[in-house]
Amino acid sequence: MSNFEASLHHGAEPLIIDLPNVMLSSAERPKVEPFSDHHNDLAGTLKFACQMVGRGVHDRRSAFHTPVLATQSPSGPEARVLVLRAFDLPTRTLTFHTDTRSAKLLQLQADNRVALTFYDAARKTQLRMNGTAHLHINDAVSQQRFKGSRPSSLRCFLGAQPGSASPVASSGLPAGLEGREHEWAELQAAEANFAVLNVCVHQLEWLHLHTAGQRRALFVWADKTNDSKCAMQWLNP
Amino acid sequence: MSNFEASLHHGAEPLIIDLPNVMLSSAERPKVEPFSDHHNDLAGTLKFACQMVGRGVHDRRSAFHTPVLATQSPSGPEARVLVLRAFDLPTRTLTFHTDTRSAKLLQLQADNRVALTFYDAARKTQLRMNGTAHLHINDAVSQQRFKGSRPSSLRCFLGAQPGSASPVASSGLPAGLEGREHEWAELQAAEANFAVLNVCVHQLEWLHLHTAGQRRALFVWADKTNDSKCAMQWLNP
């Protein structure tokens, strides 16, 4: 067993978001990428993975902008795409927005264990994360994120309950709200339906498919609330 | 409630895989697509969804080629990307390949309820499916699919147990197997590790994000093994 522990002092090391080779448009991407420097380096792999997640927050064209969140429910697993809103590296926390009336909120309140799956098909790179969800409803965290969001991404919280039946094809929004910009005054009613979902990650698995040799690596934080220790090891893909 | 039942006789209607507007390269895709004809038509939405899944089987560049499969486990949900290998519309069955030694096989044997999530970011279209998994190990189904696969997609089944620890960065494959074509004789040992995972879908949810009005629809098959009846309804997004 190659399982070993290593200290990673993320807090002391600023996250480098700017990755020139991640900024290539799909048309510019080479079909098969050369092996990266970190390909045989566990700490480098973790750093690169975190950089890709950081880029997923800020670059809407990034495949990592829209991971899949899986939850458990009495009737089986549920999984859906969410937009990644923020990533705090020192606390390994990913932030999403959700509707207080959504089915996933009830699922998370009953069982806050989640899996997150990121996949960049062009880079043939998958990140799987396991973590615990923490909901913020009508508190300082949700209020701050609501105020910091663009009106266009808050409009949906003015609509009918997500997932409720509609007699006709509908956006669920009140008449007159679509296809235009919004004033903050119009969005006040949205705040009651706005929740912040923070996921604290305690396990991360990296998979890189490559014709010259696939790579898979596992990173586990023993302390679920503190980033001081990370156990890293290679896995057979 | 707009829930109503409608008969869909998929068996009598061949699946049309060829969708000109799905074949646009990413560079050619319009930034915001016009509303489709099926946008206010439940049966048309279902048909289009199935066409996108069918295309996902055959087009490796399609985002629907690599859905996320979520399972439940005693330690929480797990979710990973799988390659979609086949789609049989009359039985609503999606086919994947997996390793008999993988963690997901054990999870599926303990609880065969699964969720599948497809997301095409360029089309802003998500399909969520719920279904039951059926495994084929060393039977006529697995033997037929093994023989029908390309050697390059079977090589991985010659490797070490997926997810097992490796002392060094490794593809998990025996030396000399990488970076070249393979003879069938070399692949014989792979068959013992090769399993077919069929997922029979009994619920499908469509979500299309569009600035001019989002659309969400639910399709439920009351009989989990027969495609004769489908309950279709619009949901608020």
Side-chain angles (χ1 to χ4, degrees), chain A:
Chain A
M1 295 289 286
S2 68
N3 196 330
F4 68 93
E5 294 229 323
S7 294
L8 281 179
H9 298 287
H10 291 313
E13 192 175 322
L15 175 63
I16 301 158
I17 297 292
D18 198 31
L19 291 171
N21 64 336
V22 179
M23 295 174 74
L24 295 174
S25 76
S26 58
E28 294 168 315
R29 280 184 202 123
K31 218 173 172 188
V32 174
E33 295 189 359
F35 265 17
S36 312
D37 289 343
H38 61 265
H39 205 77
N40 296 307
D41 166 16
L42 278 168
T45 294
L46 177 59
K47 185 174 173 182
F48 187 73
C50 292
Q51 287 172 338
M52 285 183 77
V53 175
R55 172 139 217 104
V57 173
H58 301 288
D59 183 355
R60 288 203 276 177
R61 298 163 308 167
S62 161
F64 276 29
H65 188 55
T66 46
V68 169
L69 177 92
T71 50
Q72 302 207 148
S73 87
S75 55
E78 293 288 346
R80 77 291 284 163
V81 171
L82 290 185
V83 172
L84 180 61
R85 303 289 180 178
F87 173 42
D88 185 62
L89 188 54
T91 59
R92 304 186 310 279
T93 300
L94 292 91
T95 299
F96 306 90
H97 297 168
T98 185
D99 196 298
T100 57
R101 304 163 296 168
S102 65
K104 79 172 101 37
L105 196 105
L106 290 174
Q107 288 164 17
L108 290 167
Q109 284 171 334
D111 187 340
N112 74 343
R113 298 172 300 175
V114 303
L116 282 165
T117 309
F118 298 74
Y119 184 60
D120 187 327
R123 306 189 161 274
K124 293 187 180 297
T125 298
Q126 174 185 260
L127 284 191
R128 292 172 63 184
M129 301 182 188
N130 302 90
T132 49
H134 304 277
L135 289 160
H136 292 274
I137 301 170
N138 195 24
D139 66 6
V141 171
S142 67
Q143 285 160 13
Q144 187 182 8
R145 287 214 64 86
F146 188 86
K147 287 187 182 69
S149 298
R150 283 169 311 182
S152 60
S153 69
L154 297 174
R155 188 181 64 174
C156 59
F157 297 99
L158 289 171
Q161 182 182 1
S164 59
S166 169
V168 293
S170 171
S171 69
L173 289 176
L177 274 175
E178 284 169 281
R180 63 173 178 85
E181 296 295 313
H182 300 85
E183 303 294 330
W184 272 100
E186 293 179 286
L187 293 165
Q188 277 187 350
E191 193 163 358
N193 301 324
F194 177 85
V196 170
L197 162 58
N198 281 335
V199 174
C200 179
V201 173
H202 55 79
Q203 180 169 313
L204 186 154
E205 198 182 296
W206 161 271
L207 179 65
H208 184 210
L209 307 180
H210 199 289
T211 52
Q214 307 186 358
R215 289 291 183 271
R216 187 171 174 179
L218 180 67
F219 305 89
V220 180
W221 288 267
D223 180 342
K224 291 191 180 187
T225 58
N226 189 298
D227 71 333
S228 58
K229 293 263 185 197
C230 176
M232 311 190 283
Q233 68 174 81
W234 293 110
L235 303 181
N236 288 302

